[in-house]
Amino acid sequence: MAFKVIITAPIHSDGISIVKDIAEVNILETPPLSEDILIRYIEDADALIATLGIEPVTRRIIEHATKLKIVARHGVGYNNIDVDAATEYGIWVTVTPVEELFEAVADHAFALLLCIARNICRADRFVKSRQWGVDSTKLYNFIGVGLKGRVIGIIGLGRIGQRIAERAKGFKMKIVYYDIVRKPEAEKQGIVYKELEDLFKESDFIVIAVPLTKETKNMIGEREISLMKPTAYIVNIARGGVIDQRALYRALKEGRIAGAALDVFQQEPIPPNDPILELENTILTPHIAWLTNECRRAMAVSVAEEVVRVLKGEEPRYPVNPMVKEIIRIRKR
Ligand code: NAP
Ligand code: GLV
């Protein structure tokens, strides 16, 4: 076949079938992939499907990819892709903003919030280690906090943040938010805008839903964490780089905040010697907020359709660098 497509880890078979109709597909099975490994595979590839979001697509990789036309993210976060380099080389970078993804991530954020508020994971370990019958007074170690009337502070009231707010409303929580842009529609629904500092001081649960950018990197550090109530929890389903993880670790270790539930980390997979793994007041999941059957299938189909469009010479539907259209047009002249 004329085209070659690299997929960095297996995706839903419905997506693979769509790509296989027009291209030879090479699915790499051993993530996380280093820059050198990706360079080895990408030299004669026409398209790269970047699946997990943790594989770097650097300038060096792009410079080696002489035939590459599209880097298609299987997901919406594209912080690990050098978009400027791709744009310079006339390579599309696309994402998969499917409804199923936003719903899945909002569900997971709420699952984390409920689990940390009600000590579900610790209680599960207690029962399975057969301690329940041994000393029932230990049940009081699992006293939780109710959600009704508590303040949830959402940082980033975008597609996922808004769906988290919908869930919080169902639990009768007070909802406040911080975002780079005010959201009048949400404010009409009773969601209250707060400056970041006030959100940290007032919230019982802080949920992070901003993209990782130059501006949001380490946006939550020692100072912001020091503003939190000692009874407050933090939930991160966005990107690990948004929080200074060492500062968070210290606050959790010293009991300066109640707990954290994290789906994303500064380094993924999280290194086995990371001290955060030892803490009891955390719940950690391996970047699976998006991972439902519905979302996995919808994302695979969406990413495959983007690749097929571009390889057929059409424009993609969800580019993050739309200016590539002009670059391609100038080159053709
Ligand atoms: P989105 O719709 O773009 O929402 C993000 C919100 O954050 C937007 O309202 C955005 O404002 C705002 N924002 C951007 N920069 C900001 C800043 N410096 N300060 C305050 N607010 C800022 O994105 P989304 O689809 O909800 O996704 C959010 C992130 O979640 C993704 O970027 C990705 O990293 C992460 N994610 C994680 C998973 C997972 O499995 N754990 C899955 C999907 C996504 P503007 O719209 O004005 O830019
Ligand atoms: C997943 O992390 C995504 O960015 O979609």
Side-chain angles (χ1 to χ4, degrees), residues 296-324:
R296 185 167 177 263
R297 186 188 169 278
M299 274 165 55
V301 169
S302 173
V303 80
E305 288 175 350
E306 286 295 65
V307 166
V308 168
R309 268 185 212 105
V310 168
L311 295 187
K312 283 183 172 169
E314 296 166 18
E315 280 172 42
R317 278 176 75 186
Y318 306 113
V320 300
N321 55 352
M323 55 296 260
V324 162

Side-chain angles (χ1 to χ4, degrees), residues 209-226:
V210 281
L212 177 59
T213 62
K214 283 189 199 93
E215 292 74 33
T216 62
K217 192 169 165 51
N218 285 333
M219 158 187 207
I220 299 164
E222 194 75 62
R223 207 187 87 75
E224 289 71 25
I225 294 169
S226 74

Side-chain angles (χ1 to χ4, degrees), residues 102 105 158-160 179-181 183 211 216 237 239 263 290:
F102 307 133
V105 180
R159 295 166 298 192
I160 294 170
D179 197 291
I180 199 159
V181 179
K183 312 281 176 186
T216 62
I237 48 73
R239 284 292 182 268
D263 184 52
W290 60 280

Side-chain angles (χ1 to χ4, degrees), residues 20-279:
K20 274 192 172 164
D21 280 346
I22 67 153
E24 182 189 309
V25 175
N26 189 355
I27 305 168
L28 310 182
E29 300 279 350
T30 53
L33 296 159
S34 67
E35 195 182 45
D36 285 334
I37 293 178
L38 263 180
I39 284 176
R40 207 183 315 142
Y41 284 104
I42 210 159
E43 273 170 344
D44 62 347
D46 296 280
L48 173 70
I49 296 182
T51 50
L52 296 178
I54 56 174
E55 54 285 87
V57 184
T58 58
R59 176 172 287 275
R60 208 176 133 235
I61 291 175
I62 286 164
E63 281 169 358
H64 279 78
T66 51
K67 291 172 69 186
L68 199 66
K69 296 157 191 67
I70 175 170
V71 176
R73 259 289 287 134
H74 178 268
V76 291
Y78 53 90
N79 49 286
N80 264 5
I81 298 174
D82 191 329
V83 178
D84 290 343
T87 308
E88 261 175 54
Y89 283 85
I91 297 168
W92 294 104
V93 178
T94 61
V95 289
T96 55
V98 293
E99 187 61 31
E100 290 85 345
L101 180 147
F102 307 133
E103 297 295 341
V105 180
D107 282 350
H108 195 78
F110 237 84
L112 288 174
L113 190 152
L114 281 165
C115 282
I116 195 91
R118 299 301 303 269
N119 300 303
I120 303 290
C121 297
R122 281 202 297 119
D124 175 68
R125 289 195 293 273
F126 175 77
V127 174
K128 287 180 181 162
S129 62
R130 296 169 176 77
Q131 293 181 61
W132 188 9
V134 178
D135 181 358
S136 287
T137 59
K138 288 206 172 138
L139 292 189
Y140 294 109
N141 290 339
F142 304 118
I143 296 174
V145 292
L147 299 193
K148 186 176 172 186
R150 300 271 174 193
V151 178
I152 180 171
I154 302 173
I155 302 179
L157 200 66
R159 295 166 298 192
I160 294 170
Q162 284 173 31
R163 284 163 179 83
I164 293 170
E166 285 169 12
R167 284 152 180 78
K169 206 170 172 187
F171 281 88
K172 301 187 170 61
M173 300 179 84
K174 290 183 189 147
I175 310 167
V176 303
Y177 82 102
Y178 168 77
D179 197 291
I180 199 159
V181 179
R182 294 280 290 261
K183 312 281 176 186
E185 281 310 311
E187 290 180 27
K188 276 189 216 150
Q189 313 281 320
I191 301 178
V192 178
Y193 176 81
K194 295 279 173 185
E195 291 301 335
L196 194 59
E197 201 165 287
D198 294 331
L199 181 146
F200 271 90
K201 285 183 191 158
E202 294 171 25
S203 299
D204 298 300
F205 294 90
I206 292 168
V207 184
I208 301 162
V210 281
L212 177 59
T213 62
K214 283 189 199 93
E215 292 74 33
T216 62
K217 192 169 165 51
N218 285 333
M219 158 187 207
I220 299 164
E222 194 75 62
R223 207 187 87 75
E224 289 71 25
I225 294 169
S226 74
L227 300 173
M228 287 172 66
K229 300 179 190 178
T231 50
Y233 298 87
I234 196 156
V235 176
N236 189 5
I237 48 73
R239 284 292 182 268
V242 177
I243 306 184
D244 175 346
Q245 203 170 294
R246 293 172 90 167
L248 178 65
Y249 168 78
R250 284 193 295 273
L252 288 163
K253 174 91 181 157
E254 292 161 18
R256 283 187 274 121
I257 62 172
L262 311 172
D263 184 52
V264 285
F265 304 89
Q266 266 172 356
Q267 191 183 332
E268 294 181 12
I270 189 163
N273 61 350
D274 192 315
I276 208 161
L277 295 169
E278 306 298 331
L279 296 176

